[in-house]
Amino acid sequence: ETGVTQTPRHLVMGMTNKKSLKCEQHLGHNAMYWYKQSAKKPLELMFVYSLEERVENNSVPSRFSPECPNSSHLFLHLHTLQPEDSALYLCASSQGRQGGRYEQYFGPGTRLTVT
Amino acid sequence: KQEVTQIPAALSVPEGENLVLNCSFTDSAIYNLQWFRQDPGKGLTSLLLIQSSQREQTSGRLNASLDKSSGRSTLYIAASQPGDSATYLCAVRRYDKIIFGKGTRLHILP
């Protein structure tokens, strides 16, 4: 595997379910990100992790719970979601965070549908 | 509050033409600006990153410029090809604040 991978690629869940999205980066990067992409809206940054520490949380509802057990893996735990949470969830990584020289590399995304 | 605008929202041009995509931002205090392309239902592919101290970056047929003082960046695509059809997104970063535009949907007509 190379780059940034995400599983599953598609997920349908009911509002009472609990599920998790997984992201893995094979680039040796130190920072990882979760984004939400809804129709007709710009990508929204949800969480930023640096060396397994959460450094940014953009007022995301508590029904989204991130976890970063090591610098290569990032999870997004989902529970009691709403239909408006249906979106493409993208994971990204970068070699560092500080300063301006670090590109973000994205995974293919998980298409989530909440019924 | 940083806002990023991309105009036009959609663009169709015949194959072979050179074209320019625009990105503007309201707060010039940025670390960098990154251009991406996104194919339908897929993730983002990084095209070019311009640091705040740089004026432009080039990769193959792509050239991106940055004018921080005016809050503008352009992505120039030379000799467009049908494979260039995609949505092009720009994003600006300062600290851990990363703001994306809504993108320009580009269609290259064969």
Side-chain angles (χ1 to χ4, degrees), chain A residues 12 28 84 88 110:
Chain A
V12 179
E84 60 265 29
L88 182 67
T110 294

Side-chain angles (χ1 to χ4, degrees), chain B residues 53-78:
Chain B
S53 59
Q54 298 173 328
R55 297 284 294 186
E56 65 177 343
Q57 287 287 329
T58 298
S59 175
R61 294 183 295 109
L62 306 179
N63 175 277
S65 68
L66 175 64
D67 184 342
K68 217 172 58 158
S69 61
S70 68
R72 293 181 182 177
S73 176
T74 61
L75 179 67
Y76 174 83
I77 302 177

Side-chain angles (χ1 to χ4, degrees), chain A residues 33 94 96-104, chain B residues 2 25 27-34 49-55 57 66 68 91-99:
Chain A
Y33 312 77
S94 63
R97 287 168 41 242
Q98 305 296 344
R101 66 184 186 275
Y102 299 113
E103 286 182 74
Q104 290 186 80
Chain B
Q2 178 75 271
F25 47 96
D27 185 349
S28 62
I30 63 171
Y31 283 168
N32 63 39
L33 185 145
Q34 195 168 356
L49 178 140
I50 312 176
Q51 297 182 56
S52 62
S53 59
Q54 298 173 328
R55 297 284 294 186
Q57 287 287 329
L66 175 64
K68 217 172 58 158
V92 297
R93 178 170 192 159
R94 178 170 174 79
Y95 297 113
D96 289 310
K97 298 294 184 186
I98 304 165
I99 307 297

Side-chain angles (χ1 to χ4, degrees), chain A residues 26-53:
Chain A
H26 310 268
L27 300 167
H29 288 171
N30 293 324
M32 297 187 77
Y33 312 77
W34 277 119
Y35 286 88
K36 175 183 179 182
Q37 187 175 35
S38 306
K40 310 293 185 185
K41 294 176 69 175
L43 260 80
E44 300 170 79
L45 179 62
M46 301 173 72
F47 302 104
V48 180
Y49 274 82
S50 175
L51 295 170
E52 301 128 54
E53 176 186 355

Side-chain angles (χ1 to χ4, degrees), chain A residues 80-91:
Chain A
T80 324
L81 294 191
Q82 304 298 310
E84 60 265 29
D85 296 323
S86 298
L88 182 67
Y89 288 85
L90 293 160
C91 173

